[in-house]
Amino acid sequence: MDGGNLSLDSMGGFVYYSLSKILKESSKSRDKNLRSVAMECQKQIFQLFQQNRDAAREDKNADKYFLPFKLACNYERPNIKMIHTSLDAIQRMIAYGYLCGDSFVDPKVYPPIDLDTKSRSDKKDQKRQRKRKLIDVLVETIYMCSTTIDDDQVQIQVIKTLITAVQSKTCQVHDHSILLAVRSCYHIFLTARNSSNQTTARAILTQMLNVVFRRMESYAKQLQEIKISATRQINIPIAKGKCEKSEPSSATETQIN
C-alpha cells in the first residue's frame, strides 16, 4: 500500500509514516501482533484519504491509532531502536496536539499492569482497577520503559516525551500519572550511567514539579473564586428578603402614628 499521496503535515500522514518506520524495524516472526495492528491502522488512514481527502486532513485526533505505538514499546522483549522510534513519534504527536488521551480505554485492549512487579494484574486486581484513560496508559507505558530499559537514547527520549506530556495544553496528565512521570525521571536520575542523562533528568524533574505547583496554585485560586461567587449568590436573596420584610413594619408604624 503506497502512502505517497498522504499529506505529511496532517495527523494521518504523520501517523502513517511513523508506523512505516516501526514496521521496518520490527521482526516479522516476533512482532506479528504489532505488525498486524500497525498495518490495519495504515489501511484505515489510507482509505480515509481516498474517500475524503479534506476530511482526512482536518482529523487531528490520533488517540484511535495509539495501540501500535504502545505495542512497539515492548519492554519485556525490547527492540531498542523500535522503542526509540515509537517514543519519538509519541512525543511529536503530543507536541503537535494529535494525542489528547482523554478517552477511557477498554481494559481488554489495554490490560492493566502491576507497576510494582512489572506483570499483569490478576483478575481480582483488575476488578478493583479504576477506569483508565488513554493518557494513563501512555504514561504507564513510558514509565515501564524507563524502569526496565537501560539505554541512554531511550532514557533521553523518555524524558523528552514525559515533559512534553506534562506541559501540554491538549494532553492533560493528572493524578497517579503525574506521579509516575516524576518517578520515571527520578529513576533515570538515580540509575543513569551517563552523567548528561542524570543532569537532564534532574532539570526536567524540577520543571515537572514547578508545573505541578503552578497548577496547584491555579486550582486553589479558582476554588476560592468559586466559593466567593457562591457566597455572593446566597447572600443576595437573603438581603432582598430582609428589605421586603422591613417595608410592611414601616408602613404599620406610620398608621399607628
Short mmCIF file of all heavy atoms in Angstrom, two decimals, residues 81-118:
data_model
loop_
_atom_site.label_atom_id
_atom_site.label_comp_id
_atom_site.label_asym_id
_atom_site.label_seq_id
_atom_site.Cartn_x
_atom_site.Cartn_y
_atom_site.Cartn_z
N LYS A 81 15.87 0.07 19.10
CA LYS A 81 15.68 1.02 18.00
C LYS A 81 14.21 1.30 17.76
O LYS A 81 13.80 2.45 17.55
CB LYS A 81 16.33 0.47 16.73
CG LYS A 81 16.45 1.49 15.62
CD LYS A 81 17.24 0.93 14.45
CE LYS A 81 17.38 1.98 13.34
NZ LYS A 81 18.16 1.46 12.18
N MET A 82 13.39 0.25 17.82
CA MET A 82 11.95 0.42 17.59
C MET A 82 11.30 1.20 18.73
O MET A 82 10.42 2.03 18.50
CB MET A 82 11.28 -0.95 17.44
CG MET A 82 9.83 -0.89 17.03
SD MET A 82 9.19 -2.52 16.53
CE MET A 82 9.23 -3.39 18.11
N ILE A 83 11.71 0.96 19.96
CA ILE A 83 11.18 1.69 21.11
C ILE A 83 11.52 3.17 21.00
O ILE A 83 10.67 4.03 21.24
CB ILE A 83 11.72 1.10 22.43
CG1 ILE A 83 11.12 -0.28 22.68
CG2 ILE A 83 11.42 2.03 23.60
CD1 ILE A 83 11.68 -0.99 23.87
N HIS A 84 12.75 3.45 20.61
CA HIS A 84 13.16 4.85 20.44
C HIS A 84 12.31 5.54 19.38
O HIS A 84 11.86 6.69 19.55
CB HIS A 84 14.64 4.93 20.08
CG HIS A 84 15.16 6.33 19.99
ND1 HIS A 84 15.11 7.05 18.82
CD2 HIS A 84 15.74 7.14 20.91
CE1 HIS A 84 15.62 8.25 19.02
NE2 HIS A 84 16.01 8.34 20.27
N THR A 85 12.09 4.85 18.26
CA THR A 85 11.26 5.40 17.17
C THR A 85 9.83 5.65 17.63
O THR A 85 9.24 6.70 17.33
CB THR A 85 11.25 4.44 15.97
OG1 THR A 85 12.59 4.27 15.48
CG2 THR A 85 10.38 4.98 14.84
N SER A 86 9.28 4.71 18.39
CA SER A 86 7.91 4.84 18.87
C SER A 86 7.78 6.00 19.86
O SER A 86 6.84 6.81 19.76
CB SER A 86 7.45 3.54 19.53
OG SER A 86 6.13 3.66 20.01
N LEU A 87 8.71 6.10 20.79
CA LEU A 87 8.68 7.19 21.78
C LEU A 87 8.83 8.55 21.10
O LEU A 87 8.18 9.53 21.49
CB LEU A 87 9.79 7.00 22.82
CG LEU A 87 9.59 5.85 23.81
CD1 LEU A 87 10.83 5.69 24.69
CD2 LEU A 87 8.35 6.07 24.68
N ASP A 88 9.69 8.60 20.10
CA ASP A 88 9.88 9.85 19.37
C ASP A 88 8.58 10.26 18.67
O ASP A 88 8.19 11.45 18.69
CB ASP A 88 10.99 9.69 18.33
CG ASP A 88 11.21 10.95 17.51
OD1 ASP A 88 11.62 11.98 18.09
OD2 ASP A 88 10.95 10.91 16.29
N ALA A 89 7.88 9.30 18.07
CA ALA A 89 6.61 9.58 17.40
C ALA A 89 5.55 10.03 18.41
O ALA A 89 4.78 10.96 18.15
CB ALA A 89 6.13 8.35 16.63
N ILE A 90 5.51 9.36 19.56
CA ILE A 90 4.54 9.73 20.61
C ILE A 90 4.79 11.16 21.08
O ILE A 90 3.85 11.96 21.23
CB ILE A 90 4.62 8.75 21.79
CG1 ILE A 90 4.11 7.36 21.37
CG2 ILE A 90 3.80 9.26 22.98
CD1 ILE A 90 4.34 6.28 22.41
N GLN A 91 6.05 11.48 21.30
CA GLN A 91 6.41 12.83 21.76
C GLN A 91 5.98 13.89 20.75
O GLN A 91 5.44 14.94 21.10
CB GLN A 91 7.92 12.90 22.01
CG GLN A 91 8.39 14.20 22.64
CD GLN A 91 8.88 15.21 21.64
OE1 GLN A 91 9.37 14.84 20.57
NE2 GLN A 91 8.75 16.48 21.97
N ARG A 92 6.19 13.62 19.48
CA ARG A 92 5.82 14.57 18.43
C ARG A 92 4.30 14.70 18.31
O ARG A 92 3.78 15.79 18.09
CB ARG A 92 6.43 14.14 17.09
CG ARG A 92 7.95 14.27 17.05
CD ARG A 92 8.51 13.73 15.74
NE ARG A 92 9.95 13.73 15.74
CZ ARG A 92 10.71 14.77 15.37
NH1 ARG A 92 10.13 15.88 14.96
NH2 ARG A 92 12.02 14.68 15.40
N MET A 93 3.59 13.58 18.44
CA MET A 93 2.12 13.64 18.36
C MET A 93 1.54 14.46 19.50
O MET A 93 0.56 15.18 19.31
CB MET A 93 1.54 12.22 18.35
CG MET A 93 1.71 11.50 17.03
SD MET A 93 0.76 9.96 16.91
CE MET A 93 1.70 8.90 18.02
N ILE A 94 2.13 14.35 20.68
CA ILE A 94 1.68 15.17 21.81
C ILE A 94 1.98 16.64 21.54
O ILE A 94 1.15 17.52 21.74
CB ILE A 94 2.36 14.72 23.12
CG1 ILE A 94 1.93 13.30 23.49
CG2 ILE A 94 2.00 15.68 24.26
CD1 ILE A 94 2.70 12.72 24.66
N ALA A 95 3.20 16.91 21.06
CA ALA A 95 3.60 18.29 20.78
C ALA A 95 2.74 18.94 19.70
O ALA A 95 2.42 20.13 19.78
CB ALA A 95 5.07 18.32 20.36
N TYR A 96 2.33 18.15 18.71
CA TYR A 96 1.50 18.67 17.61
C TYR A 96 0.02 18.76 18.00
O TYR A 96 -0.78 19.28 17.23
CB TYR A 96 1.63 17.78 16.37
CG TYR A 96 3.01 17.71 15.78
CD1 TYR A 96 3.40 16.62 15.01
CD2 TYR A 96 3.95 18.72 16.01
CE1 TYR A 96 4.68 16.53 14.46
CE2 TYR A 96 5.23 18.64 15.46
CZ TYR A 96 5.59 17.55 14.70
OH TYR A 96 6.85 17.47 14.17
N GLY A 97 -0.33 18.24 19.17
CA GLY A 97 -1.73 18.27 19.60
C GLY A 97 -2.56 17.14 19.05
O GLY A 97 -3.80 17.18 19.10
N TYR A 98 -1.92 16.10 18.51
CA TYR A 98 -2.65 14.96 17.93
C TYR A 98 -3.10 13.97 18.99
O TYR A 98 -4.13 13.31 18.83
CB TYR A 98 -1.77 14.23 16.92
CG TYR A 98 -1.39 15.04 15.70
CD1 TYR A 98 -0.25 14.73 14.95
CD2 TYR A 98 -2.15 16.13 15.28
CE1 TYR A 98 0.11 15.47 13.82
CE2 TYR A 98 -1.79 16.88 14.17
CZ TYR A 98 -0.67 16.54 13.44
OH TYR A 98 -0.31 17.27 12.34
N LEU A 99 -2.33 13.83 20.06
CA LEU A 99 -2.67 12.90 21.14
C LEU A 99 -3.23 13.68 22.32
O LEU A 99 -2.56 14.53 22.88
CB LEU A 99 -1.43 12.11 21.59
CG LEU A 99 -1.13 10.80 20.87
CD1 LEU A 99 0.15 10.17 21.43
CD2 LEU A 99 -2.27 9.81 21.00
N CYS A 100 -4.49 13.38 22.68
CA CYS A 100 -5.12 14.02 23.84
C CYS A 100 -5.22 13.06 25.02
O CYS A 100 -5.01 13.43 26.16
CB CYS A 100 -6.50 14.54 23.46
SG CYS A 100 -6.48 15.76 22.14
N GLY A 101 -5.58 11.81 24.73
CA GLY A 101 -5.63 10.78 25.77
C GLY A 101 -6.75 10.95 26.76
O GLY A 101 -6.68 10.42 27.88
N ASP A 102 -7.82 11.68 26.40
CA ASP A 102 -8.88 11.97 27.36
C ASP A 102 -9.97 10.91 27.39
O ASP A 102 -10.83 10.93 28.26
CB ASP A 102 -9.50 13.34 27.02
CG ASP A 102 -10.33 13.88 28.17
OD1 ASP A 102 -9.85 13.82 29.32
OD2 ASP A 102 -11.46 14.34 27.93
N SER A 103 -9.94 9.98 26.44
CA SER A 103 -10.99 8.96 26.38
C SER A 103 -10.65 7.76 27.27
O SER A 103 -9.47 7.43 27.46
CB SER A 103 -11.17 8.48 24.93
OG SER A 103 -9.95 7.98 24.42
N PHE A 104 -11.68 7.11 27.81
CA PHE A 104 -11.48 5.92 28.62
C PHE A 104 -11.17 4.73 27.71
O PHE A 104 -11.69 4.64 26.59
CB PHE A 104 -12.72 5.62 29.47
CG PHE A 104 -12.91 6.59 30.60
CD1 PHE A 104 -13.85 7.61 30.50
CD2 PHE A 104 -12.15 6.50 31.75
CE1 PHE A 104 -14.03 8.51 31.53
CE2 PHE A 104 -12.32 7.40 32.79
CZ PHE A 104 -13.27 8.41 32.68
N VAL A 105 -10.31 3.84 28.19
CA VAL A 105 -9.86 2.73 27.35
C VAL A 105 -10.53 1.42 27.76
O VAL A 105 -10.98 1.26 28.89
CB VAL A 105 -8.32 2.56 27.44
CG1 VAL A 105 -7.62 3.82 26.94
CG2 VAL A 105 -7.89 2.22 28.87
N ASP A 106 -10.57 0.51 26.82
CA ASP A 106 -11.08 -0.84 27.05
C ASP A 106 -9.96 -1.67 27.69
O ASP A 106 -8.90 -1.82 27.10
CB ASP A 106 -11.51 -1.45 25.72
CG ASP A 106 -12.15 -2.84 25.90
OD1 ASP A 106 -12.09 -3.39 27.01
OD2 ASP A 106 -12.69 -3.36 24.90
N PRO A 107 -10.18 -2.19 28.91
CA PRO A 107 -9.13 -2.97 29.57
C PRO A 107 -8.72 -4.23 28.81
O PRO A 107 -7.65 -4.77 29.04
CB PRO A 107 -9.74 -3.32 30.94
CG PRO A 107 -11.21 -3.15 30.76
CD PRO A 107 -11.39 -2.08 29.73
N LYS A 108 -9.58 -4.68 27.88
CA LYS A 108 -9.21 -5.85 27.07
C LYS A 108 -8.19 -5.47 26.01
O LYS A 108 -7.35 -6.28 25.64
CB LYS A 108 -10.46 -6.44 26.41
CG LYS A 108 -11.46 -7.03 27.40
CD LYS A 108 -12.67 -7.59 26.67
CE LYS A 108 -13.68 -8.18 27.67
NZ LYS A 108 -14.89 -8.70 26.97
N VAL A 109 -8.27 -4.24 25.54
CA VAL A 109 -7.32 -3.75 24.54
C VAL A 109 -6.04 -3.27 25.22
O VAL A 109 -4.93 -3.52 24.74
CB VAL A 109 -7.94 -2.61 23.71
CG1 VAL A 109 -6.93 -2.08 22.68
CG2 VAL A 109 -9.20 -3.10 23.00
N TYR A 110 -6.21 -2.57 26.34
CA TYR A 110 -5.08 -2.06 27.11
C TYR A 110 -5.14 -2.65 28.52
O TYR A 110 -5.62 -2.00 29.45
CB TYR A 110 -5.11 -0.53 27.18
CG TYR A 110 -4.98 0.16 25.85
CD1 TYR A 110 -6.09 0.68 25.19
CD2 TYR A 110 -3.72 0.32 25.25
CE1 TYR A 110 -5.95 1.33 23.97
CE2 TYR A 110 -3.58 0.96 24.04
CZ TYR A 110 -4.69 1.46 23.41
OH TYR A 110 -4.55 2.11 22.20
N PRO A 111 -4.68 -3.90 28.69
CA PRO A 111 -4.76 -4.56 30.00
C PRO A 111 -3.97 -3.79 31.06
O PRO A 111 -2.88 -3.30 30.79
CB PRO A 111 -4.12 -5.94 29.75
CG PRO A 111 -4.16 -6.12 28.28
CD PRO A 111 -4.04 -4.76 27.68
N PRO A 112 -4.54 -3.68 32.26
CA PRO A 112 -3.81 -3.01 33.34
C PRO A 112 -2.58 -3.82 33.74
O PRO A 112 -2.57 -5.04 33.64
CB PRO A 112 -4.83 -2.95 34.48
CG PRO A 112 -5.80 -4.04 34.18
CD PRO A 112 -5.87 -4.14 32.69
N ILE A 113 -1.54 -3.12 34.16
CA ILE A 113 -0.31 -3.80 34.58
C ILE A 113 -0.01 -3.47 36.03
O ILE A 113 -0.43 -2.43 36.55
CB ILE A 113 0.88 -3.39 33.70
CG1 ILE A 113 1.06 -1.87 33.71
CG2 ILE A 113 0.72 -3.90 32.28
CD1 ILE A 113 2.29 -1.39 32.98
N ASP A 114 0.70 -4.36 36.67
CA ASP A 114 1.15 -4.13 38.03
C ASP A 114 2.46 -3.37 37.94
O ASP A 114 3.48 -3.90 37.53
CB ASP A 114 1.35 -5.47 38.75
CG ASP A 114 1.59 -5.27 40.24
OD1 ASP A 114 2.22 -4.27 40.61
OD2 ASP A 114 1.16 -6.13 41.02
N LEU A 115 2.44 -2.12 38.31
CA LEU A 115 3.61 -1.26 38.13
C LEU A 115 4.74 -1.59 39.09
O LEU A 115 5.87 -1.16 38.90
CB LEU A 115 3.21 0.21 38.31
CG LEU A 115 2.18 0.72 37.29
CD1 LEU A 115 1.71 2.10 37.67
CD2 LEU A 115 2.78 0.71 35.90
N ASP A 116 4.44 -2.39 40.13
CA ASP A 116 5.49 -2.75 41.09
C ASP A 116 6.19 -4.04 40.70
O ASP A 116 7.41 -4.16 40.80
CB ASP A 116 4.89 -2.89 42.49
CG ASP A 116 4.41 -1.56 43.02
OD1 ASP A 116 5.07 -0.54 42.73
OD2 ASP A 116 3.36 -1.53 43.68
N THR A 117 5.41 -5.03 40.26
CA THR A 117 6.01 -6.32 39.91
C THR A 117 6.27 -6.46 38.42
O THR A 117 6.80 -7.46 37.97
CB THR A 117 5.09 -7.47 40.36
OG1 THR A 117 3.84 -7.37 39.66
CG2 THR A 117 4.84 -7.41 41.85
N LYS A 118 5.83 -5.43 37.65
CA LYS A 118 6.05 -5.43 36.20
C LYS A 118 5.36 -6.61 35.51
O LYS A 118 5.88 -7.19 34.58
CB LYS A 118 7.55 -5.45 35.87
CG LYS A 118 8.32 -4.29 36.49
CD LYS A 118 9.74 -4.33 36.03
CE LYS A 118 10.52 -3.15 36.59
NZ LYS A 118 11.17 -3.38 37.80
#
